[in-house]
Amino acid sequence: RFVIEERVPGSYNKEAGGNNFMFELMGVEAITVVPGGTNMGEAMSRVAQEVASLGRKAYVIPGGGSNAIGGLGYVACVQEMQVQWLDMGFSPDAVAVGSGSSGTHGGMVAGFLGNNIKVPLIGIGVSRDPADQEPLVHKEAQAVADLLGIGKVPREAVKSFGGFWQPKYSVPNAKMVEAVQMAARTEGILLDPVYTGKIMAGLIGLARQGPFKPNAKVLFMHTGGPPPRDAYQDVAL
């Protein structure tokens, strides 16, 4: 069962393709749509209790899988990435990653710390600016680190940039459109409007403004996203 937060009022359409097609394909039994700003933990807990009343077991997965167990997936990602760097003889100057619910960013922070990777990890916000985003990422990274037993995560290990996600989460902007078009037309890389498009917009913006030096080797962490892309066909991508 899914609980979906409708952050943009009136945007959910049960007849739409994209994610809804994936929900049906994967056998989702029921979808509960709640208004933006709803306490999602409480909303999911209520659905879990309904499932329990039917004699079944429910495991509540937070948005983005952003808990200590979910963050372990990106620790494994970091380890795999490190092996690939060694095999290729590659050493990036920085790694850029999306920063939203904090599972990806926080998990990678813990992975970089645990594997002694000194490369700067830069988060690009898709829903919040640094003052609000970085404490969430640090909390997630520390939860993962505690699970692994690798000690304290320095606050300075969490670095993010904002200013590329506005006017609102999942709402298109011109920088995102430019980034999606540029990646598709110059590299054949497909990005989505909600996450990777805005992350790439941030990477392009930072390359133009700093902090990257000319010819810096920056690794872009592409986390997928075809279903959201399909739901934005009315946007001039």
Side-chain angles (χ1 to χ4, degrees), residues 106-129:
M108 291 187 71
V109 168
F112 272 44
L113 178 66
N115 289 281
N116 198 34
I117 298 174
K118 303 301 184 182
V119 176
L121 178 64
I122 296 173
I124 298 174
V126 297
S127 55
R128 302 176 193 86
D129 281 340

Side-chain angles (χ1 to χ4, degrees), residues 6 33 60 69 74 80 83 96 102 117 119 124 128 133 153 162 174 204 229 237:
E6 191 180 41
V33 181
V60 176
I69 294 175
Y74 277 98
E80 181 178 351
V83 169
S102 78
I117 298 174
V119 176
I124 298 174
R128 302 176 193 86
Q133 181 64 19
V153 177
I204 293 170
R229 183 182 65 241
L237 300 180

Side-chain angles (χ1 to χ4, degrees), residues 67-138:
N67 58 16
I69 294 175
L72 288 178
Y74 277 98
V75 174
C77 166
V78 166
Q79 293 173 324
E80 181 178 351
M81 189 168 60
Q82 189 177 32
V83 169
Q84 292 177 358
W85 293 352
L86 292 171
D87 288 345
M88 297 170 64
F90 175 69
S91 179
D93 296 305
V95 176
V97 62
S99 196
S101 61
S102 78
T104 301
H105 191 183
M108 291 187 71
V109 168
F112 272 44
L113 178 66
N115 289 281
N116 198 34
I117 298 174
K118 303 301 184 182
V119 176
L121 178 64
I122 296 173
I124 298 174
V126 297
S127 55
R128 302 176 193 86
D129 281 340
D132 296 318
Q133 181 64 19
E134 291 182 2
L136 297 177
V137 177
H138 185 260

Side-chain angles (χ1 to χ4, degrees), residues 50-64:
E50 292 174 9
V51 171
S53 70
L54 299 174
R56 302 167 69 184
K57 292 182 179 180
Y59 176 73
V60 176
I61 301 175

